[in-house]
Amino acid sequence: MRRPKITDLRATTVTMPLEAPLRHANGAHWGRFVRTVVEVETDTGLVGLGEMGGGGESAEAAFRGLRSYLIGHDPFELEAMRYKICNPTASLYNNRTQMHAALEFACLDICGHTLGVPVHDLLGGKVRETVPFASYLFFRYPDAHGRHEVRTAEQLVAHAADLKQRYGFTVHKLKGGVFPPDYELEAFRALGTAFPKDKLRYDPNAALGVEEAIRFGHAIEDLNNDYYEDPTWGLNGMRRLRKSVRIPLATNTVVVNFEQLAANILDPAVDVILLDTTFWGGIRACVKAAGVCETFQLGIAVHSSGELGIQLASMLHLGAVVPNLAFAADAHYHHLADDIIVGGKLPYVNGAIAVPTGPGLGVTLDRGKLAQYAELYKELGGYAYDRDPGRPGWFPLLPNTDWADPAAPPPA
Ligand code: MG
């Protein structure tokens, strides 16, 4: 085997349409995701694939700026790359965690192709063939044709039933924090009534005050909850909540690095750590964190930050190798209209997606689709994740006290 050396890297911003705009506590995804596809080239003729959320000229330039760090680097030297790019003290002046994650995916892809093995074999080997996923339910604005709105409890249950029928989900996660808590409580409880055998999760992106979160928690304690995800902000808020509510608490916001994980072990605030391959800086960081959680008997699940097929592959390889994965993973994936990988979107079977078995990440970039969706980004530009197109000028306080009106008309 000849050891590869990195010869170049390239970042391309793409826009992927969603079935309908997704609403959340801070604003909305305006009917599309913006993502950056990263390609790392080697002197052995391989191209490794990475992906990061967001994009545009500044993100592409930031990746170009890392050429001088990476050209000549051996992709097998992953710890050295971590310190080159993400040294914790240098990170006070730059925040490259998510860029590093994209580069780590690409380097693992190269290592796998070099050795002819899938990424999960580089991470300890898979302990499962498929990774189960939850239906990720959002309140949605209607699309441009007035379709796919999710605003009422009836629409939410119908949407969940449709996803369950199409994909086989047996776990349902509701992204809340949009409408007044009592309105969302009714909608969430309607899911419990409609799917009594399925598991549930409620995640209002930390928008509730502690007392409101306690009240809401008591009102859902009788349901079949997996966990109660980031109902309120901060380790201290979650700690207060945990004393009063008898549902495991989960987070993808206040434990996203090892310092916070240590703090949560020394003085527990949450029970289930949602591991995000981008927020944590790569698949390997998540595997390490899963090991700490295994030792301290904390739960883990796989978090979704709005992935296309490359990042989804990173989540599948993570889900494949962590023995202590007892919860279904999250994915926005079923909201996507298409994907940029050869063969189109990876299929769900019985609520799960098969772990890729080909070399590297096991997915191949469809260059026609990459060009098509790069063009769409140029046409539509970015969007502000933390702005609601239906509520111009509004921004949330934390805790939020100014909820969206369920009777308000959708944005024009
Ligand atoms: Mg969350």
Side-chain angles (χ1 to χ4, degrees):
M1 175 197 99
R2 185 153 78 84
R3 296 292 288 243
K5 290 270 188 284
I6 294 173
T7 51
D8 203 359
L9 62 135
R10 211 171 23 254
T12 308
T13 308
V14 296
T15 281
M16 181 56 67
L18 301 170
E19 195 173 64
L22 306 176
R23 307 182 69 177
H24 54 73
N26 287 293
H29 294 288
W30 298 22
R32 58 195 194 270
F33 282 156
V34 173
R35 311 289 301 174
T36 302
V37 174
V38 177
E39 297 170 80
V40 174
E41 291 184 357
T42 70
D43 61 355
T44 53
L46 294 171
V47 181
L49 301 177
E51 181 184 331
M52 190 180 78
E57 185 44 47
S58 59
E60 292 175 11
F63 277 105
R64 280 198 299 275
L66 291 179
R67 271 196 181 121
S68 64
Y69 295 63
L70 291 174
I71 288 175
H73 188 89
D74 178 341
F76 280 88
E77 294 184 353
L78 292 162
E79 284 299 323
M81 182 173 78
R82 180 162 74 93
Y83 278 90
K84 271 186 180 175
I85 293 174
C86 293
N87 180 304
T89 56
S91 291
L92 296 169
Y93 300 90
N94 56 52
N95 190 345
R96 299 187 185 133
T97 304
Q98 297 201 27
M99 294 173 72
H100 175 266
L103 294 164
E104 191 233 39
F105 304 162
C107 286
L108 285 170
D109 195 25
I110 292 165
C111 296
H113 278 282
T114 302
L115 298 170
V117 298
V119 163
H120 55 76
D121 275 347
L122 303 172
L123 300 171
K126 66 178 190 281
V127 293
R128 57 185 65 83
E129 304 295 325
T130 66
V131 175
F133 284 87
S135 79
Y136 200 162
L137 308 168
F138 284 76
F139 292 109
R140 306 196 299 191
Y141 283 124
D143 71 3
H145 307 286
R147 301 172 305 188
H148 305 306
E149 182 188 49
V150 178
R151 180 174 49 84
T152 67
E154 294 70 32
Q155 288 170 329
L156 180 66
V157 168
H159 178 44
D162 174 53
L163 292 174
K164 183 178 173 67
Q165 198 253 326
R166 279 197 280 164
Y167 303 125
F169 297 124
T170 56
V171 181
H172 307 283
K173 163 168 166 167
L174 175 61
K175 173 57 44 104
V178 176
F179 296 121
D182 283 350
Y183 182 91
E184 293 197 354
L185 177 62
E186 203 180 310
F188 188 67
R189 290 202 61 93
L191 291 172
T193 304
F195 310 104
K197 291 192 177 142
D198 291 356
K199 298 271 190 62
L200 299 176
R201 306 165 178 180
Y202 177 67
D203 174 14
N205 279 7
L208 306 181
V210 177
E211 284 71 25
E212 186 84 90
I214 291 171
R215 194 181 66 82
F216 196 107
H218 288 164
I220 63 169
E221 270 184 349
D222 62 310
L223 298 178
N224 195 12
N225 297 291
D226 259 345
Y227 46 69
Y228 189 21
E229 180 174 339
D230 285 312
T232 197
W233 178 251
L235 284 169
N236 294 302
M238 294 289 269
R239 224 169 255 135
R240 281 189 57 213
L241 182 66
R242 193 165 175 268
K243 290 193 173 83
S244 307
V245 172
R246 292 171 302 171
I247 309 171
L249 299 185
T251 188
N252 67 276
T253 62
V254 291
V255 180
V256 291
N257 60 46
F258 289 93
E259 283 289 305
Q260 294 165 349
L261 182 55
N264 185 63
I265 287 162
L266 292 170
D267 188 1
V270 297
D271 307 285
V272 181
I273 309 299
L274 307 180
L275 297 169
D276 186 305
T277 57
T278 63
F279 294 177
W280 281 79
I283 311 176
R284 292 167 63 258
C286 291
V287 175
K288 291 179 191 175
V292 175
C293 291
E294 182 182 298
T295 306
F296 288 93
Q297 294 286 298
L298 292 169
I300 61 164
V302 176
H303 181 255
S304 164
S305 46
E307 61 290 323
L308 305 181
I310 298 167
Q311 189 174 316
L312 181 72
S314 79
M315 295 157 62
L316 291 167
H317 289 289
L318 170 64
V321 302
V322 284
N324 47 333
L325 183 71
F327 295 103
D330 283 332
H332 291 75
Y333 197 60
H334 56 272
H335 291 281
L336 302 183
D338 198 3
D339 201 345
I340 42 102
I341 57 174
V342 170
K345 287 169 72 177
L346 296 179
Y348 288 93
V349 178
N350 297 327
I353 301 181
V355 178
T357 53
L361 291 172
V363 295
T364 307
L365 190 59
D366 183 327
R367 299 210 166 266
K369 293 280 178 71
L370 181 75
Q372 177 187 341
Y373 293 111
E375 202 50 49
L376 189 62
Y377 174 76
K378 287 185 188 129
E379 192 185 316
L380 299 177
Y383 70 91
Y385 161 88
D386 54 356
R387 280 289 175 273
D388 183 338
R391 305 180 75 193
W394 170 81
F395 61 93
L397 301 175
L398 198 62
N400 190 21
T401 49
D402 181 14
W403 307 103
D405 177 359

